[in-house]
Amino acid sequence: MLASTLGPTPYLVLGALLFTVGATGLLVRRNPLVMFMCVELMLNAVNLTFVTFARELDDIGGQVVVFFVLVVAAVEVVVGLGIIVAIIRRQPNATADDISLMRG
Amino acid sequence: MSVLAADIGGFPLLTSMVVAPAVGAVLTALVSRRRPEQTRLIALLFVIGTGALTIALLAVFKSGHAGFQLVDRARWIKDPDISWTLGVDGISLWLVVLTGILFPLALLGAPPHHDEKPFYAWLLLLEAACMGAFLALDLFLFFVMFEIVLVPMYFLISGWGYGGRRYAALKFFLYTMFGSAFLLVGTIALAFLHAKGGPVTFDLRTLADNQGMVAATTARWLFLSFAIAFAVKVPLFPVHTWLPDAHTEAPTAGSVILAGVMLKLGTYGFLRFGLYLFPEASVYFAPFMVTLGVIGIIYGAMCAAMQKDLKRLVAYSSVAHLGFIALGTFALTTQGVQGGVLQMINHGVSTGALFLLVGMIYERRHTRQISELKGLQKSAPIMAGVFTVVMLSSLGLPGLNGFVGEFLILLGSFITRRWWAAVALFGVILAALYLLWAYQRVFHGEADEANATFREMRWTEGLVMAPLLALIVFMGVYPKPFLDRIAPSVDRLVTHVEHNSEYRQPKVATDGPRAVRAKVGK
Amino acid sequence: MVELLVFIVASAVVLVGALGVVFNGNPVHAALSLVATLFGVAVLFIAQDAQFLAAVQVIVYAGAIVVLFLFVIMLLGVDRSEDLRSDALTGQRPAAVVAGVLLGGSLVAVLVASSITGARSSGAKITTGVPNVNQLARLLFTDYLFAFEITSALLVIAVVGAVMLARRRKGTTVDADEADPVTRLGVGQDAR
Amino acid sequence: MTAFLGQLGPVTRIDTPPVAWSALLPVLVLLGGAIVLLVAGALLPRRTTFGWHATLTIVIAAGSIAAVVPLWFRVRDHGPLSVAANAIRIDGFALFFAVVIAGSVILAALLTDGYLRRENLEGAEPYVLLLLSASGGLVMASANDLIVMFLGLEVLSIAVYVLAGMHLRRLRSAEAALKYFVLGGFSSAFFLYGVALVYGATGTTNLSKIANFLATNVLAEDGLLLAGFALLLVGFGFKIAAVPFHSWSPDVYEGSPSPVVAFMASGVKTAGFAGLFRVFVFAFSSYRVDWQPLVYGIAVITLLVGAVLAVVQTNVKRMLAYSSISHAGFVLVGVQAANERGVSSAMFYLAAYTLMVAGSFGVATLVGRRGDDHHLLADYRGLGRTEPLLAFSFVVFLLAQAGVPFTSGFLAKFYVVGAAVDAHSYWLALVAMLSSVISAYLYLRIITTMYSDAEDSETADENPAGSAVPRLAIPLAARIALVIAVVGTIGLGLVPGPLHDASRHAVPRLASGR
Amino acid sequence: MEHLIWVIPALPLAGFLLLVAFGRRLGEPWAGWLATLMVVGSFVASVALFLVARGSRGGENHVLTQRLFTWIPAGGFRADVGLLADPLALTMCLFVTGIAALIHLYSIGYMHGDANFSKFFIFMNLFVFSMLMLVLGDNLLITFLGWEGVGACSYFLVSFWFTQEANASAGKKAFVTNRIGDVGFMAAIFFTFVSVGSIRYADLLGHASGLATTTATAIAILLFVGAVGKSAQIPLFVWLPDAMAGPTPVSALIHAATMVTAGVYLMVRINPVLAEASPWVPTLIAIIGALTAFIAATIAVAQNDIKRVLAYSTISQLGYMFLAVGSGAYVAAIFHMITHAFFKALLFLGSGSVIHGMGEEQDMRRMGALRKLMPITAITFLVGWLAIAGVPPFAGFWSKDDILLAAYHKSPLLWAIGVVTAVLTGFYMSRQVFLVFFGQARWAESDTTTGEAEQSAAGVTDDSGETSTHAEDEKVAPMVHASASTASSPTSDAGDDHHDVHPHESPWQMTLPLVVLAGLATVGGALNLPFLRRLLFLEHWLEPVVHFGEADISVATSTKLVLAALAGIGAVLGILLAVGVYLRGRGDRSKIEAPALANGWYIDSSFAAFVARPGTRFFEAVAWFDRTIIDGAVNGVAMVVRGGGDRIRTLQTGYVRNYALGVAVGAIVLVGALLSRAVF
């Protein structure tokens, strides 16, 4: 166990940055797979935040939440990849920008 | 105060007047599409039955009473308190009777050319809604009826109208709905503010008779929200432009009902829900409303004069006529308001008749363009004669109905608003101008080839016009029975306004010569 | 001091990995960068007394999820590198950067300014004596029992969804706008 | 499981909290039913002559509703129930939404049956997902913990992502799934971050505790909390398709299989609102002065943008999608009021809207024809003549959406506006009504198109437009769905009392503001 | 007996109703006889009532009233259908019904063969009814009822031959111009009610002395506006010449004898109010009257249409009456009204007889020497001529003399105008008589001459820019604007039938009224002979009605005689001048018949140019405004919504990353908004 000398703020800020990088990444990348990865980054940022708060609040509940987030992330990936597989089969090498039949 | 339904043996007369056409509509809709004659029969049966009920109403109506009579009441929604409350007084009585009379005539006089079944169903539904709106004594119920009339009318215009019917129907619906948006918010706000956290009720009499629950400034805002809705419906300048389109494109029956009955929802609304609910605000905004009315009179007449389409011309004349009604209503004198109420009926009869006639002309010539019509009087003298009488009624010739209302309105407004009345008087000249000019172009002159074979009125058409003509003459010569029933309620309304505001109508309006003698005596 | 050192190193790994995900044109590389981030986060978990979660993070995330990603990349053969020099959507990239800066900025500002609210745990405390796993497990089956149960529904969805989506459907595409009318109306056969 | 726990017993005995399973019955019926259906689906042939899958789904959903009934009275007489360590709260509110969501499942299932046959997509999976998604909705409506809420949201959403992409031969379907999924994941992350921040600010994820905490403590620094509010609002805003988080919905509604859209617009949206109420109106009620302006703003732009954009569409499904956005704005007006009237009016609205919108998309399902691709306005031309009853039912739904009296839509609007007025949000009420005027244009446009023949009706008498197009096949199940929706829409318009009373009873007592 | 006042108007009303119902079935001539019978009955009833009123209480004038039913009750306002048969009303009744009866009889002959024979009598009976209501009404509103009623009948009858646009336009013009005056009347009614609380004459006139001067002035002026419209005074006289488009009996009855004098009647009726009004009011009335008399007379000099001459003459004579009213000589006004009714009806009927005999020819230039062919017509016409010219001892002399005397009392200048007008009257009437009955027969002249005449007529009208009235009417004219010339150029005579004209005397139904009227025009002066007080029958009879306002004219007898002599000399002078010009052929006719005069001083055309045209343009501008601005705003809102929709729609790009950006931006905005709350 490491002594808590640093305080929560650096962790939280790191989480915020990670979240931002993930969010921005989703906005700038065209490959749907990478976009999913960015969502994973965001979820990880949240996880980090939860854990930080858990320690700060001295509440194990925050850690349990991470557990559930992990499950959700996994499920999302499964379904998301399923969708991508379905799409790429019909439109090989399609990027997110190519998938824009509907608009307006 | 109010005479209850129990007084006539418990028969819910008013409710039946609303329900009967609605039932008729459903039955008509249920008849097989392949039996048009049956639909027609059923529709006629119900529409005439409803007319008969309104005549019965006339018989049981106690003419000395000022308050609401024959009140039917049943709870509809518990919280907020909304109930099916119907009642009639002198202000609504004739409108109801007018509705009862005009619908059969419209149905008989202007049958549709296709799809009889839905046409009749919508028409019956429209009648139910109009009846409901005139009889409702619950603000919510009124709003519901006020709003629902749009639907059948929309379908009537868009389904059976002429060339630009879709645009016209849409414009009509949206424009009126735009007004209703304000009305709904205003209605709810009034009820909630009035409740002050207590139980919310929409009962008209409760809301109106307990003034002072809403602050004066708030009441003015609320009045405005009501006024927008009614102004659109009337329609007053400058929110009138839906009317020419709707009137012109609507099928004849639609135009008749639109002009004869539906426009009255606006003016009736001003009386029943403007003056009654917001006496102080009505007084406050009276100059404004009167100005709008006067602008409408002059402006409508000018526009009417310039129309190339006969139906459009009649439509604009409605703008002018309803300007008169607005003027009378907000003159806030007993003469003005009585004249306004009477003029609603007059306008319904005269303009309804005009639209029927224009419809007959269209039937024969398939055009409404004035320039394409000429010299019809030669081949159709009787129709020309009928048209003349209706036209003279519309331009307010003494001895015919239009004059009585117009005169009272002008007199009433002259008492309180001399200069407005003076300007409005010019509307009388302009009315003669545009109507006679139109008549001249359509009926006078030598008929060209297309118009030479114009068919004279058939006796069935004459039969439809006869009651209207009779009313035009009767109301012009002997309006007393009408005014006798209108007067107590109007007096009560004006007194209500006086009680709840600083406004006092000049003594001469109520006392006549006695007032002047008293003044001289001093 | 140790914590600071760990934090600096781990956070560097996390951020570099994250940026790697964003800036690597090749999806495989991006996935590998993601692994770096996940590891970094796991380290930070440990630094904050969440040892079990760190383990799960490595096993489930790095071990399963990223592998899944890589598997799909290989399966579909979409490992072609993406050209990151330009963005076809006008304004998207600068807007994204601005949005990122604003979002990050405001979040950081909030966290820096008001992380201490005075709130204290109202649930189970992190007790140092008991193993992390035990504590988690206890909470999982008490306070979070329902949440735990509902994750089962999620997993069922994942299974059913994957089956549905990945099932190879024969037959032509019904609504490809380029398709000619004949194929457009053509009805494909079911998978079975 | 017990055996497993028993083995660990001596080491660390975990006393699972007593769970009142009966209180969870509505959810459990759906969950269990989904599993049963999954298994049954594996046993039954994929292509069945009778709609076994749909029937079973309906039975399950109906069972869920049936399970609500005793609970309803129990809750009414003995107060709300806290279940599973207070993670779930079964109160009238939750039960009301359970019925609405389960009802939307029934309608969607009725529509799905014929659709799947028509599109050659038979199988039990769509129904399984439908049921699972609905269970997520029920969880959201009854969640008393942000984590449970989040999980419910995910259960609800992920199943629908899959359903959106169900029609794999349609590119649009896949595209809808992808868009929905990417954006859904994106916004879930925001939501989750919001949960984290609220957790950090209050020390708990339990909504009761949060409410308690916020009511009893004065926060010196509430930035964390407020930022959490904002991010949670993003998540909910996405789910209910409020502007500016709406952009997915027209594309997804257009692309997804129409019966699924019926569920999305009714069940999913309803569940989203249920969560929004739970979190914001109930738990965060003492901070309402902070979030009310935001909801006010969102409501205004949602109302207007939805209505205005709907007007310029040519695809009926997109029109309905945008109008659905505008309707969300209406419900947000109820949210903004943040009083008991507001909640109950929004509940009434959602219940009424469920019927209308499910019916509307039901019609769209049928008119879409094989390939689910005939959704242009032009495809509706002449429907009034060829399919008078179908057209009539669509008219009812559209008029109800326009807020014409004697339909449920009118009363829904009336109640919502009443709530806004009660909260003194007069201008918002006015904006709402005006936006409904704009929307009315759209509905009338559709209606007019249905009742206009070919190009010009003057000449149409000789040549009825519909003659060239084959008659639509309207399966019995879809007929039933439409009849239910029509009867419900008109019935609620005439006799709103019972439903409105129910919604009034279902509203928990709200704490007063800060 | 007083309960039977209603019989007087009821008979024509019954006739009207019967003809509406059975007119077509009765057909010619029985419809005409029925109508005539009704009017005769009405006349008999009037006479009976007159005898009753005169006979009772030893010659005391007796006022009979009858209230039939309440017409419009509203609050303190109450208008009854009440009849008031006082001397004034009875006087009017007598001559209205009397002359109407004669004209009805005449019409049976005149309208012979018309397709709408019975319809004509429907309107005639309705007119008589309306006129009687106007006269007998016991309150302003009943008078107004009649007032508008006669206006409407005038409209129907002027445009009776509706197939010609000109007639239709003339009818419309008459009605609309009248309405301008009617508005004044209505306003006066309002004023009366507001200040008196009642609109009964009994209340208004009984309390006139209690009226404030301003109120009395307002009422008087407004009623005068009404009178100006109805009685065709400056500036609203333009309709009357056009109204000649109607059948000649109509012109005689409505536009000469009765309706147009209603304004005078009204002024006399309210003389107590006039007395209370500011002094400038009577003066204004007198000036307007004098000017109208003079200007109309000058115009009459240059007219070629036989009826138009008479029309302007009527306007001129009405001017005299107003001059009398303005001078306070109410009895003189009524006196002149009656004598004028006699001789002008006579002249019109005579002209009608001529037109009838000439086969619908109205241009005097195509007549001449008719005295031999139409002896009865000619002789009676000559009587009328002398009467209107004011040659003693014919009726016109006495009444005109009375007026001039009063005018002199008011102001010598007015008197001077009156005398000049008298000279002109003598001149133009003589001109007419000579052109029609003397000289050479011109109806059979060759086409070229006729063509020239026509062309000159056309040239004259061209100046006013009105030849194309028919065509332009469509475009220009909702405004009062019709055809100064149209009535004078009947389109039927375009050169195909006037060779076949065989002038002949008219049937007895037409000549009998001529003879009767000629007799009346000769002896009509006896009603009010100035020689002895006892002979001032009319003055005594009307005394109770006019005693409030009648000016006390105290002029020395010698002055009276001089004035009378001057008036007589003036008339003779005018006749002699005409003899010189038109019989002897001295002087240049074209100088006298100047285009300015022929075109009525361009008043009508300038009205068209300066009022009607800009008015039309203004109306068009309003209609444009309505279409473009008001309705444009409505459609503009729709366009803004659509345009906004299209604009916002472009944000919906279809790219999922754009959508995500939207979500992110939304999140930032929300966070920012909430944080700003936290910070501030």
Side-chain angles (χ1 to χ4, degrees), chain E residues 20-343:
Chain E
V20 166
F22 308 112
R24 265 170 190 274
R25 230 165 287 166
L26 282 175
E28 191 186 346
W30 301 113
W33 283 111
L34 174 71
T36 312
L37 192 69
M38 288 299 168
V39 180
V40 169
S42 194
F43 176 68
V44 171
S46 305
V47 170
L49 208 63
F50 170 72
L51 293 176
V52 169
R54 235 186 106 60
S56 60
R57 312 234 179 122
E60 237 349 77
N61 285 299
H62 189 52
V63 177
L64 306 170
T65 57
Q66 183 178 20
R67 195 173 289 182
L68 295 176
F69 59 91
T70 302
W71 183 22
I72 305 178
F77 177 83
R78 187 186 154 112
D80 292 331
V81 176
L83 302 176
L84 165 73
D86 66 350
L88 178 60
L90 278 175
T91 310
M92 298 293 293
C93 274
L94 279 170
F95 94 83
V96 166
T97 51
I99 290 178
L102 289 172
I103 294 177
H104 270 73
L105 178 63
Y106 176 93
S107 304
I108 296 175
Y110 190 85
M111 295 305 288
H112 171 71
D114 195 281
N116 293 312
F117 183 84
S118 60
K119 196 170 127 192
F120 180 80
F121 286 96
I122 290 178
F123 293 139
M124 288 294 271
N125 262 3
L126 184 62
F127 170 79
V128 174
F129 164 73
S130 302
M131 191 67 206
L132 290 171
M133 288 308 285
L134 190 162
V135 169
L136 286 169
D138 87 329
N139 61 55
L140 282 165
L141 204 60
I142 295 295
T143 302
F144 187 72
L145 166 78
W147 191 268
E148 288 253 291
V150 293
C153 293
S154 156
Y155 165 73
F156 297 140
L157 287 167
V158 169
S159 52
F160 186 76
W161 290 317
F162 60 88
T163 47
Q164 281 179 38
E165 287 290 348
N167 302 353
S169 290
K172 180 191 72 193
K173 183 174 176 177
F175 193 89
V176 174
T177 316
N178 265 308
R179 270 244 153 169
I180 298 174
D182 297 351
V183 159
F185 197 138
M186 264 177 118
I189 297 175
F190 302 152
F191 252 112
T192 307
F193 176 69
V194 170
S195 46
V196 185
S198 160
I199 54 163
R200 294 189 59 209
Y201 287 124
D203 293 320
L204 171 64
L205 306 179
H207 299 90
S209 55
L211 286 178
T213 309
T214 45
T215 314
T217 306
I219 294 173
I221 280 290
L222 287 169
L223 285 175
F224 178 59
V225 168
V228 163
K230 189 73 43 189
S231 296
Q233 296 296 292
I234 289 175
L236 298 180
F237 70 90
V238 288
W239 64 271
L240 188 57
D242 286 355
M244 294 303 123
T248 306
V250 172
S251 309
L253 179 63
I254 300 184
H255 304 118
T258 54
M259 183 185 90
V260 289
T261 61
V264 181
Y265 161 78
L266 185 68
M267 287 294 106
V268 175
R269 170 62 81 201
I270 58 142
N271 69 78
V273 179
L274 273 177
E276 290 302 317
S278 296
W280 58 264
V281 175
T283 309
L284 177 74
I285 295 173
I287 292 172
I288 296 238
L291 282 179
T292 309
F294 175 73
I295 288 174
T298 57
I299 298 172
V301 166
Q303 299 303 313
N304 286 323
D305 185 297
I306 186 169
K307 283 176 75 181
R308 275 182 102 75
V309 174
L310 294 174
Y312 280 108
S313 152
T314 304
I315 298 171
S316 177
Q317 298 299 313
L318 288 166
Y320 271 119
M321 296 175 212
F322 276 94
L323 175 60
V325 168
S327 309
Y330 300 109
V331 176
I334 295 291
F335 185 27
H336 194 60
M337 184 199 291
I338 295 168
T339 58
H340 173 255
F342 293 156
F343 60 66

Side-chain angles (χ1 to χ4, degrees), chain B residues 167 171 240 299 316 428 433 509, chain E residues 71 76 162 179 478 626 631 635:
Chain B
Y167 168 76
K171 192 171 181 179
H240 62 276
Y299 184 91
Y316 271 106
V428 176
L433 190 66
Chain E
W71 183 22
F162 60 88
R179 270 244 153 169
D626 191 62
D631 201 29
N635 292 328

Side-chain angles (χ1 to χ4, degrees), chain E residues 316-633:
Chain E
S316 177
Q317 298 299 313
L318 288 166
Y320 271 119
M321 296 175 212
F322 276 94
L323 175 60
V325 168
S327 309
Y330 300 109
V331 176
I334 295 291
F335 185 27
H336 194 60
M337 184 199 291
I338 295 168
T339 58
H340 173 255
F342 293 156
F343 60 66
K344 189 52 68 59
L346 169 61
L347 289 170
F348 263 115
L349 294 186
S351 74
S353 179
V354 169
I355 295 166
H356 189 77
M358 292 287 296
E360 307 307 319
E361 175 59 77
Q362 298 196 10
D363 193 330
M364 297 192 293
R365 286 166 302 187
R366 299 216 193 97
M367 298 175 182
L370 287 176
R371 65 182 185 280
K372 285 165 197 149
L373 295 167
M374 309 174 80
I376 303 174
T377 307
I379 291 167
T380 52
F381 202 93
L382 289 180
V383 171
W385 162 49
L386 295 172
I388 192 174
V391 174
F394 292 95
F397 170 75
W398 304 108
S399 53
K400 201 180 281 182
D401 186 48
D402 262 9
I403 293 173
L404 288 174
L405 177 65
Y408 181 78
H409 178 71
K410 178 95 180 168
S411 152
L413 183 65
L414 290 173
W415 175 82
I417 297 175
V419 170
V420 172
T421 307
V423 173
L424 285 170
T425 308
F427 179 80
Y428 68 71
M429 280 316 297
S430 307
R431 170 178 174 264
Q432 181 173 42
V433 167
F434 300 154
L435 282 177
V436 174
F437 294 101
F438 295 88
Q440 292 171 334
R442 293 180 298 277
W443 63 83
E445 276 173 20
S446 68
D447 270 337
T448 47
T449 337
T450 328
E452 253 173 54
E454 274 208 76
Q455 224 148 48
S456 73
V460 165
T461 49
D462 256 347
D463 297 335
S464 63
E466 297 226 11
T467 28
S468 50
T469 314
H470 313 296
E472 267 187 47
D473 227 32
E474 288 297 324
K475 281 179 274 168
V476 182
M479 303 303 295
V480 189
H481 149 268
S483 64
S485 61
T486 39
S488 64
S489 52
T491 47
S492 59
D493 68 343
D496 51 346
D497 62 351
H498 58 265
H499 289 288
D500 307 329
V501 171
H502 302 294
H504 55 87
E505 185 56 278
S506 302
W508 71 270
Q509 295 98 325
M510 290 170 70
T511 50
L512 177 66
L514 290 177
V515 172
V516 174
L517 284 170
L520 288 170
T522 313
V523 302
L527 278 174
N528 211 27
L529 289 174
F531 305 120
L532 288 169
R533 289 209 71 77
R534 277 190 55 223
L535 289 177
L536 289 168
F537 168 75
L538 196 63
E539 200 168 315
H540 288 305
W541 169 241
L542 290 177
E543 217 261 24
V545 181
V546 300
H547 70 99
F548 302 93
E550 182 79 13
D552 185 16
I553 299 167
S554 47
V555 181
T557 317
S558 57
T559 321
K560 280 186 187 171
L561 284 173
V562 171
L563 291 177
L566 282 174
I569 290 167
V572 174
L573 182 70
I575 294 171
L576 290 177
L577 279 172
V579 168
V581 176
Y582 291 96
L583 280 186
R584 301 277 153 77
R586 293 187 193 145
D588 187 357
R589 286 188 197 185
S590 59
K591 268 190 189 150
I592 299 169
E593 296 167 18
L597 299 183
N599 286 301
W601 295 107
Y602 302 112
I603 291 174
D604 204 11
S605 51
S606 44
F607 183 72
F610 295 111
V611 180
R613 258 167 235 277
T616 311
R617 227 160 275 153
F618 179 63
F619 275 38
E620 263 166 10
V622 169
W624 175 87
F625 175 79
D626 191 62
R627 267 195 319 275
T628 321
I629 308 294
I630 302 279
D631 201 29

Side-chain angles (χ1 to χ4, degrees), chain B residues 226 281 358 367 372:
Chain B
F226 277 59
V358 174
T367 180
E372 291 177 30

Side-chain angles (χ1 to χ4, degrees), chain C:
Chain C
M1 211 39 216
V2 180
E3 194 190 353
L4 182 63
L5 209 65
V6 170
F7 177 79
I8 288 170
V9 173
S11 63
V13 171
V14 164
L15 284 177
V16 168
L19 292 172
V21 173
V22 177
F23 290 107
N24 260 320
N26 189 321
V28 176
H29 297 174
L32 294 176
S33 303
L34 180 61
V35 173
T37 300
L38 296 175
F39 272 114
V41 171
V43 171
L44 292 173
F45 281 179
I46 294 170
Q48 300 198 79
D49 303 338
Q51 299 84 353
F52 180 66
L53 286 182
V56 174
Q57 171 91 356
V58 172
I59 295 165
V60 174
Y61 248 128
I65 295 179
V66 177
V67 168
L68 201 55
F69 268 111
L70 288 169
F71 181 75
V72 169
I73 291 168
M74 297 308 169
L75 177 75
L76 295 175
V78 288
D79 54 347
R80 262 198 328 187
S81 191
E82 186 181 333
D83 182 11
L84 287 176
R85 276 167 303 180
S86 69
D87 195 322
L89 303 188
T90 8
Q92 171 77 10
R93 192 171 285 176
V97 171
V98 172
V101 169
L102 286 175
L103 184 66
S106 51
L107 287 177
V108 168
V110 171
L111 293 169
V112 170
S114 58
S115 60
I116 298 133
T117 60
R120 276 289 158 264
S121 165
S122 47
K125 290 190 183 341
I126 301 177
T127 26
T128 37
V130 184
N132 189 235
V133 188
N134 291 23
Q135 294 184 45
L136 278 174
R138 177 174 295 280
L139 215 55
L140 209 51
F141 288 101
T142 54
D143 285 4
Y144 292 93
L145 179 66
F146 188 80
F148 182 75
E149 300 290 346
I150 203 72
T151 48
S152 62
L154 268 176
L155 294 173
V156 172
I157 291 170
V159 171
V160 176
V163 168
M164 258 183 89
L165 291 167
R167 183 188 295 148
R168 192 175 284 276
R169 294 267 177 185
K170 284 188 194 137
T172 39
T173 308
V174 286
D175 66 337
D177 290 358
E178 311 80 10
D180 61 276
V182 182
T183 52
R184 205 176 153 190
L185 289 174
V187 179
Q189 289 300 303
D190 200 325
R192 284 187 167 184

